[in-house]
Amino acid sequence: IGGMIFSVLTGQHLMLIGPTGPLLVFEEVIYEFCLQYAIPFLPFRFWTGIWIVVALLLVVANEASYLVNRFTRFTEEVFAALIGFIFIYESLKSIYVSFKNNPLSADFCALDACHSRSNWSALSNTSECYYNSMSTGQVALAPTNEPNSALVYLILVFGTFALAFGLRKLRTSHYLSKRLRRTVSDFGILITITAAVLIAHFLFGPVSTEKIAATSFATTSGRAWLVNPLGGNITIGYIFGAIIPGLLVAFLIFVETQVTALIVGSPDHKLVKGQSFHWNLLIVAVLVVVSSVFGLPWLCGTPVPSLSHTTSLLLYRKDRAPGERPTVSGAVEQRVSNFVIHLLLLITLTTPMAQLMQQVPVAVLFGVFLYLGCVSLLGLQLCHRIVLLLIPPKHHPEWVPYVREVRTRSMHLYTAFQLGCLVLLA
């Protein structure tokens, strides 16, 4: 709902908002802090959200968003690369966890009670119980001690990534007609998820795989929707103590939202409409209040999805010579796609869609994350310069402006410094 409101009111039509990796990490840190010191989490989080809004309103009132003029391409690429690497890391980590829970072993046994390889009925019983829980609508736990599940998980993650990446490359290929290529490429992720789910169901049906634990639209613990700001005996000291995490999260929201706007509005995309930095930040501040009141995740600009959204709407010149690289001529700047994306997300929270989402393997979801992370990195000049570190100078592409205008040594030192900053942030 917050994304739909933002899509209608925002001045930057192509920018998407939502919870991001760094923002969720902050929320996890706040939760662990509250757990350690027996502080009521939701009331403390509410007051943290209030201080976030106060800080963001002060930024907007003083027009401090002009500081984005100090955000050079150096800063934009470091933050964009950080988010992209987080997507890739979480995807690879999920594969590691799957193999850790389902190790490959010569003396494999499906159940702890089984002590010999001859008792193969235990495996079928485990899978049968798993699928019975799925058919009854219950949230199934991830399978454990089943090596086939880990192997299928690996296949689904990299299979989803490969198919999504292949459909993306179809746009600039010579297969099919131009209109069909663009249509298939625009709906590449949807086609990929559908194909991966069908393959997992029909080809790997007998193997138990972890599914998305989707439920109907309700609170996780069954609590009331509205958060009581003074609940849990929260004291005045905790209320003012929330200023510290509030300022830190406010800074993160400011940086992520404005960097996302800069990435979307990059001169390479040749957008016509402006950025409206102050107005966008004001809308995000209002949505943070609503999220804090209802105990929902805080929202900010999302660099990777926003870049993918913008890329899918780019227009390319038609008069290029054969073999010439595609040149961007503009983008379809409108609010419809932004609104529909968040509307579809809202629809997935309904009970029928939640039951349908329970059939989607988690591996497919992480395959999409891996694709989004890799695609976001491919569009960064930083990654191009990292590749040039491995190529002799005489083979550097001459059509790249900074290769012609900057000395190779200076370019490599700049790349190394930028990588150092990225490692420090990580």
Side-chain angles (χ1 to χ4, degrees):
I1 296 175
M4 293 166 62
I5 295 173
F6 184 83
S7 66
V8 172
L9 300 178
T10 181
Q12 175 49 269
H13 309 150
L14 303 183
M15 186 171 74
L16 304 177
I17 64 170
T20 61
L23 201 56
L24 293 178
V25 169
F26 260 99
E27 293 215 46
E28 183 180 359
V29 170
I30 294 174
Y31 175 75
E32 292 177 352
F33 172 79
C34 293
L35 202 62
Q36 182 177 358
Y37 293 96
I39 303 173
F41 171 64
L42 286 177
F44 185 80
R45 183 182 180 276
F46 171 86
W47 290 109
T48 302
I50 295 300
W51 293 118
I52 292 173
V53 174
V54 171
L56 293 180
L57 291 179
L58 288 175
V59 170
V60 173
N62 291 279
E63 297 186 355
S65 291
Y66 77 90
L67 292 174
V68 298
N69 293 329
R70 305 295 181 183
F71 291 177
T72 62
R73 186 166 193 158
F74 182 98
T75 308
E76 296 175 29
E77 291 192 341
V78 168
F79 273 94
L82 176 64
I83 303 300
F85 279 122
I86 288 176
F87 273 67
I88 296 173
Y89 169 77
E90 291 297 333
S91 301
L92 299 180
K93 180 183 176 182
S94 70
I95 297 175
Y96 168 77
V97 171
S98 179
F99 275 91
K100 184 178 180 180
N101 294 334
N102 304 277
L104 302 181
S105 175
D107 56 347
F108 161 71
C109 182
L111 298 176
D112 293 336
C114 175
H115 296 287
S116 66
R117 290 172 60 93
S118 60
N119 191 1
W120 293 103
S121 61
L123 175 61
S124 60
N125 291 336
T126 303
S127 298
E128 182 179 355
C129 293
Y130 179 84
Y131 279 102
N132 286 340
S133 66
M134 291 301 296
S135 61
T136 56
Q138 300 174 357
V139 177
L141 299 176
T144 57
N145 199 23
E146 295 188 25
N148 286 344
S149 296
L151 294 173
V152 169
Y153 194 99
L154 179 68
I155 293 172
L156 289 178
V157 170
F158 285 105
T160 302
F161 166 77
L163 181 57
F165 196 81
L167 292 179
R168 178 179 181 270
K169 297 292 289 184
L170 181 65
R171 179 189 292 267
T172 55
S173 69
H174 299 287
Y175 297 103
L176 308 177
S177 64
K178 181 178 180 180
R179 177 174 296 181
L180 187 57
R181 287 200 307 266
R182 180 168 182 175
T183 302
V184 173
S185 182
D186 288 343
F187 294 93
I189 293 182
L190 178 61
I191 296 172
T192 298
I193 293 176
T194 304
V197 170
L198 292 177
I199 291 173
H201 181 75
F202 291 105
L203 191 59
F204 302 118
V207 182
S208 58
T209 54
E210 182 183 3
K211 303 297 194 297
I212 296 178
T215 58
S216 58
F217 190 66
T219 57
T220 305
S221 61
R223 63 171 177 84
W225 274 105
L226 296 178
V227 175
N228 183 3
L230 303 177
N233 299 321
I234 191 168
T235 63
I236 191 70
Y238 291 142
I239 293 176
F240 284 97
I243 294 178
I244 298 176
L247 293 178
L248 293 175
V249 178
F251 175 75
L252 179 62
I253 291 177
F254 171 79
V255 171
E256 286 214 81
T257 302
Q258 305 299 34
V259 167
T260 301
L262 288 174
I263 292 174
V264 171
S266 170
D268 296 337
H269 298 154
K270 297 184 179 180
L271 304 184
V272 176
K273 300 178 181 178
Q275 302 293 335
S276 66
F277 295 108
H278 305 302
W279 178 242
N280 291 342
L281 197 60
L282 178 61
I283 299 173
V284 170
V286 174
L287 294 177
V288 168
V289 174
V290 177
S291 299
S292 301
V293 170
F294 287 96
L296 300 174
W298 293 318
L299 306 176
C300 68
T302 54
V304 174
S306 297
L307 181 60
S308 298
H309 180 224
T310 304
T311 303
S312 66
L313 294 171
L314 292 180
L315 301 174
Y316 296 88
R317 291 179 55 185
K318 301 179 181 180
D319 56 348
R320 63 187 179 94
E324 184 181 357
R325 293 175 59 87
T327 305
V328 176
S329 61
V332 182
E333 300 181 56
Q334 36 71 45
R335 304 176 187 269
V336 177
S337 59
N338 197 335
F339 183 87
V340 171
I341 288 172
H342 293 96
L343 176 62
L344 293 176
L345 289 175
L346 180 63
I347 293 175
T348 59
L349 297 177
T350 60
T351 302
M353 286 300 299
Q355 294 176 350
L356 182 62
M357 291 292 291
Q358 289 178 0
Q359 306 304 316
V360 179
V362 173
V364 174
L365 184 64
F366 278 108
V368 174
F369 286 170
L370 181 62
Y371 162 77
L372 292 175
C374 291
V375 168
S376 66
L377 294 180
L378 289 177
L380 297 180
Q381 186 187 104
L382 170 62
C383 295
H384 297 165
R385 285 187 275 107
I386 292 175
V387 174
L388 292 180
L389 288 172
L390 307 175
I391 301 177
K394 64 179 180 179
H395 296 302
H396 287 181
E398 296 184 358
W399 52 266
V400 180
Y402 56 80
V403 171
R404 297 194 310 266
E405 300 171 3
V406 181
R407 289 189 305 173
T408 302
R409 178 181 175 85
S410 300
M411 180 179 65
H412 289 343
L413 289 175
Y414 181 83
T415 303
F417 181 69
Q418 202 169 12
L419 280 174
C421 294
L422 178 60
V423 172
L424 289 177
L425 281 177

